[in-house]
């Protein structure tokens, strides 16, 4: 049985402070899940496919994906991910600054589990953390 | 002696016999004494001639007869009378009578001639003279006749009317009397020129035209009966039956009205030609046979073809400078349907009888090519007959280029606004996070002053974030296809009140708000901004907000009224500008984009927005929004 504590998080975000905010939020909320940080889509695939010795991630995990990133952005990452027979069914939450309708609908077309707008730090952010924590408590992950 | 008398009587008998005239001798009582054959024939009797003149003369009253005979016996006379013939017919007779005495007795010898035929001819002549005279008088043109000596022998009614001189005062007058009425001097005029040509006089006329049989001329008189007139005259010699010139006739017509109309027509035609020539747009006109009749300066410039080369040219000559050959152009397709024109023209618009279109002509501007916009319209005369067409052509190459530039720069700008607001918000959020972590991590160790600074920093960060968010929304108006939803505007207003938590401070009234189907997101956005503004800018922080709507033709007119401080008139335009605020942002937090966003959104959907004052205080914002958003052309 998969417990919520054993679920890992692959955070794909080029912004160091955003990554810190996530980690800090988890820590403050006493959520101890492992967070692996990739700075863009390319690095995320290296980690997912075990192409790099520096970082690795093992099942079960979910991905928190930023959209605006250098080298390979969130949509390019999703395109490639959904085509990959091994990685195609991974749960992805999009975590972005973009409130744009077309970004949201484009994301859902890539079968993301949720589209979350990075709002300002503080209470909203904590709500996000708790939502993610809650999500894997109740949702069966493949 | 007796022999002589016998002889002479014999001669006399012979004379009587051979004479053609009806000879008879009467005694003083009018009894017929002797007569000849001609006389008997004249009266139509055989041998039974009446015995007394009273039986055949129907002209001389019987009681006057003795006196008449007596007078004739003393003074021979020639007179006319009338005879009744045996068959009852009456003939005109001329009688030459004289007294003779035979055997001491007094007789009257009369020779009578049948003049019935002469009388008829005379009557006919009289008739035809009368007829001619009537015609002459009746002529609408003022007409007069002079004899070979230059004396006036006829002067008709129309002439009297034209000159004010009566026939009676003119008949018989010579020495150029008639010239006085026209020229106030005695000199030869047109009628004299046909009798005695004089080139110096002919030159005095505006125009003279010499035909075989007559001479025509026009002249301008500064004053005739006190009025300025233009006259047209026609003169001819008059000849008798032998062909001898016996006089001259002249008819004069007042052509002042025609001349003035002609002059004003010429003037207006000239004016029109001048106007067309002056037009900044290349313009030409063709007649009903498609021959060029006007080709203005701008047209010369655009086509490189001088008007002298093309005026009068038909057979599609006007298409050569544009297309290089004679072909049908827009002007030839006034009647054609738009579909058939689409191969040669773009943006074809028909407006009433005129047709507009755009196209590219590779030959213009010395082969660089030009985009042109042309409008053609048929021309009709006053009776509605088609008499040609006019075409105006405008070089829109620059405009096309500018439009393309503008579109590109608009796209770039939107792209910029989108990217900038996205990318600029990330560092902002980082700053906010970091500042909050500083406060969290340092806790009580943070000096009070520094905590205040960090707080200020975060409000500025929030403000900038808000500005970037609104800027992004602004850049996206019309770029994003919104979703059509069924909405109830009343419910929308109350949702906004709840969202912005205004219930405790404001009394909200709604009136006749519609429920309809529209692009919900931009519509809600507008109401959010306007209701938000009403609350945010209220100087006392509480009051009334009234949202009303009424249906105009194809638009709803929504209005949001508050009882806040109002916007002074001089700022009512300015506040619609980007980043415009009326109060410092430290007092009233705001991006300064809200109203600009409302304006851009409303106008994008074909509506308009305006600000007014509310009495006694407050602001009234009115905006229109299409009833059926799908009818709006974007």
């Amino acid at each position: 049985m998969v417990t919520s504590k054993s679920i890992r998080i692959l955070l794909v975000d080029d912004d160091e402070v955003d990554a810190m905010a996530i980690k800090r939020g988890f820590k403050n909320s006493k959520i101890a899940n492992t967070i692996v940080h990739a700075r863009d889509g390319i690095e995320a695939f290296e980690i997912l496919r075990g192409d790099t010795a520096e970082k690795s991630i093992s099942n079960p995990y979910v991905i928190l994906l930023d959209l605006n990133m250098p080298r390979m952005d969130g949509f390019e990452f999703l395109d490639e991910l959904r085509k990959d027979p091994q990685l195609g069914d991974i749960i992805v939450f999009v975590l972005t600054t973009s409130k744009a309708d077309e970004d949201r609908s484009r994301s859902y077309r890539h079968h993301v589990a949720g589209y979350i707008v990075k709002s300002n730090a503080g209470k909203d952010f904590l709500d996000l953390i708790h939502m993610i924590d809650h999500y894997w408590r109740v949702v069966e992950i493949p | 002696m007796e022999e002589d008398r016998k002889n002479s009587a014999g001669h006399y008998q012979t004379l009587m016999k051979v004479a053609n005239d009806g000879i008879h001798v009467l005694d003083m009582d009018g009894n017929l004494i002797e007569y000849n054959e001609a006389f008997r024939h004249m009266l139509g009797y055989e041998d039974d001639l009446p015995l007394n003149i009273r039986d055949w003369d129907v002209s001389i009253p019987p009681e006057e007869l003795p006196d008449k005979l007596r007078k004739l016996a003393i003074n021979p006379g020639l007179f006319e009378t009338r005879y009744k013939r045996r068959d009852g017919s009456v003939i005109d007779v001329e009688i030459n009578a004289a007294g003779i005495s035979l055997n001491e007795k007094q007789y009257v010898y009369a020779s009578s001639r049948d003049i019935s035929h002469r009388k008829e001819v005379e009557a006919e002549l009289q008739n035809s003279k009368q007829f001619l005279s009537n015609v002459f008088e009746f002529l609408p043109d003022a007409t007069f006749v002079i004899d070979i000596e230059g004396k006036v022998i006829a002067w008709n009614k129309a002439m009297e009317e034209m000159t004010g001189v009566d026939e009676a005062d003119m008949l018989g007058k010579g020495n150029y009397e008639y010239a006085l009425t026209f020229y106030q001097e005695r000199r030869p005029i047109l009628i004299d020129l046909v009798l005695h040509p004089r080139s110096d006089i002919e030159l005095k006329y505006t125009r003279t035209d010499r035909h075989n049989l007559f001479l025509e001329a026009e002249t301008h008189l500064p004053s005739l009966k006190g009025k300025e007139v233009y006259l047209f005259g026609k003169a001819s010699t008059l000849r008798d039956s032998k062909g001898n010139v016996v006089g001259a006739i002249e008819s004069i017509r007042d052509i002042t009205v025609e001349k003035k109309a002609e002059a004003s027509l010429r003037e207006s035609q000239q004016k029109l030609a001048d106007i067309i020539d002056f037009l900044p747009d290349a313009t030409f006109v063709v007649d009903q046979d498609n021959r060029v009749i006007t080709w203005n300066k701008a047209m010369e410039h655009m086509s490189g073809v001088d008007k002298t080369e093309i005026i009068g040219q038909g057979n599609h000559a006007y298409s050569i400078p544009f297309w290089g050959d004679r072909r049908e152009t827009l002007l030839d397709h006034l009647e054609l349907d738009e579909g058939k024109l689409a191969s040669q023209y773009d943006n074809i618009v028909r407006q009433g009888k005129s047709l507009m279109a755009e196209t590219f002509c590779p030959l213009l501007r010395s082969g660089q090519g030009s985009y042109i916009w042309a409008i053609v319209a048929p021309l009709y005369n006053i009776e509605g007959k088609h008499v040609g067409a006019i075409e105006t052509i405008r070089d829109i190459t620059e405009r096309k280029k500018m439009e393309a530039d503008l579109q590109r720069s608009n796209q770039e700008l939107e792209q910029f606004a989108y990217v900038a607001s996205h990318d600029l918000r990330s560092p902002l959020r980082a700053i906010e996070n970091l500042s909050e972590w500083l406060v969290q991590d340092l806790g009580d160790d943070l000096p009070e002053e520094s905590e205040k600074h960090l707080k200020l920093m975060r409000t500025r960060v929030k403000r900038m974030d808000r500005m970037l968010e609104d800027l992004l929304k602004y850049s996206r108006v019309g770029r994003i296809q919104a979703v059509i939803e069924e909405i109830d505007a009343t419910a929308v207003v109350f949702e906004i009140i709840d969202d912005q938590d205004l219930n405790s401070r404001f009394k909200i009234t709604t009136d006749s708000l519609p429920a309809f189907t529209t692009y919900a997101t931009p519509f809600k956005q507008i109401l959010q901004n306007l209701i938000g503004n009403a609350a945010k800018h209220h100087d006392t922080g509480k009051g009334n907000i009234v949202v009303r709507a009424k249906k105009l033709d194809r638009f709803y007119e929504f209005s949001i009224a508050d009882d806040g401080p109002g916007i002074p008139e001089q700022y009512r335009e300015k506040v619609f500008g980007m980043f415009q605020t009326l109060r410092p942002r430290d007092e009233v937090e705001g991006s300064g984009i809200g109203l600009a966003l409302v304006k851009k959104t409303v106008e994008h959907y074909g509506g308009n927005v305006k600000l007014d004052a509310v009495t006694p205080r407050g602001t009234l914002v009115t905006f229109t929004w299409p009833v059926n958003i799908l009818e709006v052309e974007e």
Side-chain angles (χ1 to χ4, degrees):
Chain A
M1 156 126 192
V2 177
T3 66
S4 65
K5 284 219 164 32
S6 61
I7 293 172
R8 285 165 263 282
I9 294 165
L10 176 60
L11 177 65
V12 190
D13 196 329
D14 62 324
D15 192 316
E16 188 67 33
V17 180
D18 279 350
M20 279 167 65
I22 301 272
K23 288 176 188 167
R24 199 182 159 92
F26 276 54
K27 197 174 121 199
N28 287 351
S29 303
K30 311 266 187 288
I31 301 168
N33 301 58
T34 307
I35 297 175
V36 180
H37 181 207
R39 279 171 191 82
D40 58 29
I42 304 273
E43 197 188 354
F45 273 115
E46 285 172 359
I47 293 167
L48 288 170
R49 289 167 180 157
D51 293 345
T52 172
E54 280 173 43
K55 294 173 184 174
S56 66
I57 193 158
S58 56
N59 272 324
Y61 58 84
V62 296
I63 296 174
L64 293 184
L65 178 68
D66 188 19
L67 290 179
N68 274 329
M69 289 180 296
R71 295 207 292 174
M72 179 188 274
D73 70 18
F75 290 118
E76 289 165 334
F77 175 80
L78 279 170
D79 278 337
E80 195 163 332
L81 187 77
R82 293 306 182 214
K83 274 188 271 174
D84 190 306
Q86 258 88 56
L87 307 171
D89 55 0
I90 295 175
I91 291 170
V92 180
F93 288 90
V94 167
L95 188 61
T96 180
T97 49
S98 171
K99 288 181 180 174
D101 291 344
E102 78 263 31
D103 283 349
R104 183 167 53 221
S105 53
R106 200 173 157 197
S107 299
Y108 279 114
R109 277 201 298 278
H110 284 92
H111 311 294
V112 298
Y115 184 94
I116 300 149
V117 177
K118 291 178 193 170
S119 45
N120 302 319
K123 185 176 166 295
D124 289 349
F125 190 72
L126 280 180
D127 286 348
L128 162 67
I129 303 285
H130 291 139
M131 191 279 290
I132 293 173
D133 184 37
H134 193 67
Y135 180 82
W136 57 58
R137 280 181 207 279
V138 296
V139 173
E140 290 295 324
I141 292 175
Chain B
M1 191 67 203
E2 181 61 18
E3 191 71 5
D4 282 355
R5 205 188 63 83
K6 263 190 182 155
N7 274 351
S8 119
H11 286 154
Y12 169 71
Q13 289 293 334
T14 316
L15 263 176
M16 290 245 309
K17 221 173 238 166
V18 299
N20 276 327
D21 291 340
I23 293 168
H24 57 287
V25 179
L26 301 174
D27 68 12
M28 296 314 282
D29 282 331
N31 294 316
L32 182 65
I33 304 301
E34 239 179 309
Y35 62 90
N36 68 352
E37 283 296 288
F39 184 71
R40 189 173 60 82
H41 282 299
M42 194 180 275
L43 288 179
Y45 288 89
E46 295 299 326
D47 289 325
D48 51 344
L49 228 59
L51 296 175
N52 194 282
I53 185 172
R54 289 178 180 84
D55 296 323
W56 66 81
D57 194 309
V58 294
S59 203
I60 304 166
E63 65 278 10
E64 286 175 19
L65 196 73
D67 199 35
K68 176 102 181 164
L69 289 171
R70 235 183 343 268
K71 276 180 187 158
L72 283 172
I74 302 158
N75 288 313
L78 183 70
F79 61 96
E80 287 177 11
T81 187
R82 311 182 84 199
Y83 289 174
K84 189 170 84 184
R85 302 180 80 231
R86 188 188 187 192
D87 60 9
S89 61
V90 174
I91 55 171
D92 286 292
V93 180
E94 186 186 70
I95 292 181
N96 206 343
I100 54 167
S101 48
L102 279 174
N103 307 325
E104 327 267 283
K105 256 188 105 177
Q106 195 65 36
Y107 298 94
V108 171
Y109 173 93
S111 159
S112 49
R113 182 172 295 174
D114 184 348
I115 56 164
S116 291
H117 181 66
R118 199 185 82 196
K119 275 281 176 190
E120 265 168 42
V121 172
E122 270 177 15
E124 252 169 55
L125 190 66
Q126 192 56 42
N127 276 345
S128 77
K129 263 188 178 165
Q130 186 59 45
F131 176 73
L132 272 181
S133 162
N134 284 344
V135 169
F136 185 76
E137 283 303 319
F138 179 74
L139 284 181
D141 290 329
T143 305
F144 71 108
V145 180
I146 57 171
D147 63 15
I148 193 78
E149 289 165 355
K151 284 186 182 143
V152 176
I153 54 174
W155 187 266
N156 76 352
K157 274 247 152 28
M159 198 72 195
E160 290 181 334
E161 269 164 37
M162 176 180 277
T163 59
V165 178
D166 282 352
E167 180 189 26
D169 297 331
M170 190 54 76
L171 284 184
K173 298 270 173 71
N175 190 24
Y176 309 120
E177 181 81 18
Y178 42 79
L180 287 173
T181 45
F182 298 104
Y183 301 107
Q184 291 81 42
E185 58 171 325
R186 294 177 187 276
R187 66 157 172 86
I189 65 170
L190 194 67
I191 196 168
D192 301 292
L193 296 181
V194 295
L195 294 173
H196 314 287
R198 265 180 64 176
S199 54
D200 60 328
I201 297 293
E202 225 169 285
L203 284 174
K204 287 180 191 277
Y205 290 91
T206 328
R207 168 183 86 83
T208 56
D209 227 345
R210 198 172 268 285
H211 298 261
N212 244 350
L213 295 171
F214 51 87
L215 179 66
E216 281 180 0
E218 280 180 25
T219 191
H220 167 243
L221 298 184
S223 173
L224 180 65
K225 275 173 52 184
K227 276 199 292 191
E228 182 194 21
V229 290
Y230 290 87
L231 297 179
F232 165 79
K234 193 167 176 177
S236 170
T237 53
L238 292 174
R239 289 166 195 272
D240 63 14
S241 54
K242 297 190 193 82
N244 299 317
V245 173
V246 293
I249 183 167
E250 176 172 353
S251 263
I252 303 165
R253 187 175 294 175
D254 186 338
I255 53 164
T256 312
V257 173
E258 291 90 328
K259 272 282 165 188
K260 292 209 164 143
E262 210 176 281
S264 88
L265 181 68
R266 226 184 0 255
E267 199 180 310
S268 72
Q269 275 172 342
Q270 185 57 45
K271 223 180 256 170
L272 188 65
D274 287 348
I275 288 169
I276 291 177
D277 215 36
F278 175 77
L279 290 179
D281 287 325
T283 301
F284 71 100
V285 180
V286 296
D287 64 14
Q288 67 267 44
D289 301 318
N290 271 11
R291 278 188 307 252
V292 177
I293 54 174
T294 304
W295 189 265
N296 77 350
K297 278 210 176 60
M299 195 70 199
E300 288 183 327
H301 181 73
M302 176 183 276
S303 64
V305 175
D306 205 75
K307 73 170 76 171
T308 54
E309 296 168 48
I310 195 142
I311 295 257
Q313 300 279 321
N315 190 22
H316 308 296
Y318 44 78
S319 82
I320 298 173
F322 295 92
W323 302 101
D325 56 11
R326 294 173 187 273
R327 65 166 76 177
E328 299 200 324
T329 67
L330 199 62
L331 188 114
D332 302 288
H333 296 318
L334 268 166
E335 312 294 325
L336 211 64
D337 74 78
E338 289 79 4
K340 292 194 176 130
L341 287 172
S343 60
Q344 200 173 340
Y345 297 96
D346 305 318
N347 297 336
I348 302 153
V349 178
R350 197 178 283 282
Q351 211 171 66
K353 295 222 178 274
S354 54
L355 188 64
M356 287 167 263
E358 291 179 10
T359 191
F360 181 75
C361 287
L363 291 181
L364 294 179
R365 290 199 303 164
S366 323
Q368 286 180 66
S370 277
Y371 285 97
I372 59 165
W373 172 86
I375 175 166
V376 271
L379 296 175
Y380 299 96
N381 70 6
I382 203 154
E383 283 107 37
K385 185 173 164 272
H386 177 246
V387 291
I390 181 166
E391 175 161 355
T392 279
I393 299 166
R394 192 175 288 175
D395 189 326
I396 53 163
T397 312
E398 282 302 304
R399 199 191 82 194
K400 281 266 175 192
K401 225 175 87 189
M402 269 164 18
E403 276 173 4
D405 286 352
L406 186 67
Q407 200 178 355
R408 197 168 44 247
S409 91
N410 270 345
Q411 272 169 1
E412 280 170 4
L413 192 67
E414 278 178 11
Q415 192 60 27
F416 169 79
Y418 178 73
V419 169
S421 49
H422 247 120
D423 293 358
L424 293 180
R425 291 178 80 191
S426 299
L428 271 187
R429 213 181 36 260
I431 293 167
E432 194 183 6
N433 278 332
L434 292 166
S435 66
E436 182 164 325
W437 296 341
L438 274 176
V439 176
Q440 283 173 4
D441 293 354
L442 288 172
D444 293 342
D445 294 341
L446 187 66
E448 205 178 312
E449 191 75 354
S450 302
E451 195 181 340
K452 204 175 116 196
H453 291 167
L454 283 169
K455 213 170 157 187
L456 279 174
M457 184 167 101
R458 287 174 61 196
T459 63
R460 297 305 186 273
V461 165
K462 275 207 178 72
R463 184 181 300 163
M464 180 139 180
D465 191 58
R466 173 80 193 280
M467 284 163 86
L468 289 171
E469 194 185 343
D470 284 354
L471 184 64
L472 182 63
K473 279 182 195 155
Y474 187 85
S475 79
R476 291 154 66 96
V477 170
R479 218 159 56 87
I480 307 305
Q481 187 61 53
V483 181
I484 298 240
E485 285 174 49
E486 174 87 37
I487 57 162
D488 176 355
T490 312
V492 170
V493 168
F494 285 103
E495 265 168 44
I496 292 166
I497 302 303
D498 281 346
D499 286 352
Q500 300 189 2
D501 202 14
L502 302 177
N503 259 325
S504 55
R505 296 183 291 128
F506 288 92
K507 182 173 176 286
I508 317 291
T509 316
T510 57
D511 181 14
S512 329
L513 297 186
F516 65 124
T517 305
T518 195
Y519 292 133
T521 310
F523 177 73
K524 285 177 181 171
Q525 178 79 62
I526 290 166
L527 281 182
Q528 258 166 27
N529 282 6
L530 295 180
I531 293 171
N533 276 351
K536 189 166 72 179
H537 296 287
H538 205 288
D539 48 351
T540 62
K542 54 183 176 182
N544 292 287
I545 297 172
V546 182
V547 186
R548 282 195 183 89
K550 68 175 170 198
K551 191 164 178 278
L552 306 178
D553 182 22
R554 288 161 51 226
F555 284 85
Y556 290 115
E557 185 184 82
F558 291 91
S559 65
I560 293 95
D562 64 51
D563 52 1
I567 298 173
E569 197 165 352
Q570 68 264 35
Y571 299 121
R572 283 182 204 157
E573 276 299 313
K574 202 181 174 199
V575 291
F576 286 109
M578 287 281 274
F579 301 114
Q580 293 296 330
T581 57
L582 289 181
R583 287 159 73 197
R585 288 187 173 86
D586 286 344
E587 286 175 26
V588 180
E589 197 58 62
S591 65
I593 298 177
L595 277 179
L597 181 66
V598 167
K599 185 176 164 74
K600 191 179 172 188
T601 310
V602 165
E603 288 177 357
H604 178 75
Y605 293 107
N608 56 63
V609 57
K610 66 177 198 292
L611 285 174
D612 288 296
V614 178
T615 329
R617 76 195 309 267
T619 303
L620 176 73
V621 192
T622 313
F623 74 92
T624 54
W625 190 260
V627 172
N628 185 351
I629 200 100
L630 294 175
E631 280 178 3
V632 178
E633 276 183 36
E634 286 186 41

